[in-house]
Amino acid sequence: MSGKPINLKRARKSAARAEAARKGDENAARHGQTKPARDLHAARAAKAARDHDGHKRDD
């Protein structure tokens, strides 16, 4: 035998954590922003539209 012994349970958990992190990063890239960030962006866009409409001239 060579090398030092390893704890297989710890190695499996470590591999599972690494896989979950990789999958999470992939999903984050695929789906983009978090829901609060999307909601904030939508609220800011709606306010900008309201402000813009409020500045229209009545001729």
Side-chain angles (χ1 to χ4, degrees), residues 1-58:
M1 294 277 155
S2 65
K4 81 183 201 190
I6 61 169
N7 185 334
L8 293 177
K9 183 176 182 180
R10 190 176 302 161
R12 279 192 295 269
K13 284 185 176 184
S14 177
R17 278 191 216 101
E19 174 64 20
R22 185 198 61 77
K23 195 172 191 181
D25 291 342
E26 181 180 312
N27 284 338
R30 181 182 304 149
H31 297 291
Q33 298 178 331
T34 62
K35 184 168 183 177
R38 284 194 309 263
D39 291 344
L40 179 63
H41 180 70
R44 285 182 176 165
K47 182 177 181 342
R50 282 193 317 270
D51 290 348
H52 182 71
D53 290 342
H55 289 292
K56 286 187 178 177
R57 292 176 44 165
D58 294 328

